[in-house]
Amino acid sequence: MEMPGPEKVEDIEIRLLLEALYHQYHYDFRNYAMASVKRRLKQAREQLGFSTISALQEKVLHDPSMLPRLLGFLTVQVSEMFRDPSYFKAIREQVIPHLGTYPSLKVWVAGCSAGEELYSLVILFREEGLEERTLFYATDINQDALRMAEAGIYSLDRIQQFTENHRRSGGKSSLSDYYTAAYGHASFDKSLRQRVVFSDHSLVTDAVFAEMHLISCRNVMIYFDRPLQDRAIGLFKESLTRKGFLGLGAKENLRFSAHSSAFNDFVREEKIYQRCAT
Amino acid sequence: MSDVPEKAVVIGASAGALEALSVILPQLPADVTPPVMIVVHVPPDKRSVLSELFQAKCRVAVLEAEDKEPIRSGTVYFAPPDYHLLVETNGLLSLSSDEPVLFSRPSIDVLFESAADAYGAGLTAVVLSGANQDGAQGLASVVEAGGTAIVQDPDTAFASAMPQAAVAMCPTALIMSLEEIATYLQKARSA
């Protein structure tokens, strides 16, 4: 590593901007993994037309309408329906049989972004006959993303990929059963949202809100530093019923977590963990 | 933080990557080699076999990077398919699902820029064969931060566009053949 020396000016500016966002708006990015934050803030600075991060900070402090635009850069998530089909196949074939033994179920998609993963799970639960006894919670800190998730409208040019992923996940129906296409967009059926609660929730600052049987949080915690990852994983641990399931992204793991002993590998290669019985 | 390596190597390669890396990586000595982070452009939907392939041929450990993994000497880390690989300033690797850069995820520029920030003058960055422009911008960041820039001689590369773009952006970069790059990196030490 570089010798500790005087901090670069831009690093100071970034630290101050994150403090400002927290104190003014209670959005806390201070424990995000800095390499990505830095990249995203540089993009935001350039595309929003500021010469320095400090100038961006001044604007966002005094003009609340700048906040959602900045959050768009800081919280952007790119996903697909049934991203990593083998993950959904493992949920379908190995997790669903366990969940089927409960009379009622709660599923939490933490960091749901524009809703691709939420709809994937609802469709999968419908195909497996568990939708009617399940309540889904879809949470995110970004209001714009939540609105998009609740709308369930995606560009038609993404549907081919979604359809192929769905098929490879062992889908028992045709994805086209669930949307209507018009004007270049696919609009997903509102019946898929009947059993979904959309809510503003932060893994950084908010608490447990229900007892879950399955939590899916994929490629969200990669943006956190390790202490913050541990906070989120602790929150999942507290939220899960005994023997409940936690699904992470393909390259995430609990190896480095203080809570790793509370979980067992359930499907190791798909990063699906089970909360220990004790 | 005494066990955190002070120096590191980053490598970017695209078309022709396998052949080029097959010359370089097997020559790296175990233990003393600084950590090496590599982005190879691979299709997003495939499980990458790069780490397994090279582990069998190398004395250094070869891994596919996982999120928040500590960076160790004597280890080669490949970016996983469909994720950007970044270096944090606290000695850890990070992954990101941010959108592709120049149509690439993983992106060489993203790795190089974050590594330049973390290692400054302690970084050596190498652009190998490839048929696009990725890596040129990142290499410029490495030079700006005081690091060493190396580009595979475009005349000897399987695909010359990527090294050419890198040289055009970084005229001070050292231009070497694959064998020269291998020898150079063989002598690199982690502290």
Side-chain angles (χ1 to χ4, degrees), chain A residues 1-2 8 33-36 38-40 83 219 222-224 226 229 250-251 253 255-256 270-271, chain B residues 4-6 47 64 66-68 70 80 82-83 88-89 92 95-98 101 110 113 117-119:
Chain A
M1 296 277 106
E2 216 176 349
K8 291 171 200 152
M34 275 303 131
S36 279
K38 219 166 173 172
R39 226 193 123 67
R40 288 170 161 196
R83 181 181 180 184
N219 301 319
I222 53 178
Y223 294 102
F224 297 174
R226 268 207 213 167
Q229 287 185 342
K251 300 297 161 192
N253 62 72
R255 252 194 304 161
F256 308 120
E270 297 302 336
K271 306 297 165 72
Chain B
V4 176
E6 290 169 15
R47 265 182 208 282
E64 189 170 87
E66 292 226 348
D67 185 51
K68 302 299 169 313
D82 214 20
Y83 289 88
E88 298 288 341
T89 53
L92 303 179
L95 301 177
S96 116
S97 287
D98 282 2
V101 178
V110 170
E113 282 167 18
D117 203 36
Y119 288 96

Side-chain angles (χ1 to χ4, degrees), chain A residues 6 26 28 53 101 106 127 174 205 261:
Chain A
H26 306 290
D28 192 353
I53 300 276
T101 63
K106 285 182 177 160
E127 287 174 334
S174 166
T205 50
S261 63

Side-chain angles (χ1 to χ4, degrees), chain B residues 155-167:
Chain B
D155 293 339
T156 69
F158 173 82
S160 59
M162 209 165 83
Q164 264 164 0
V167 174

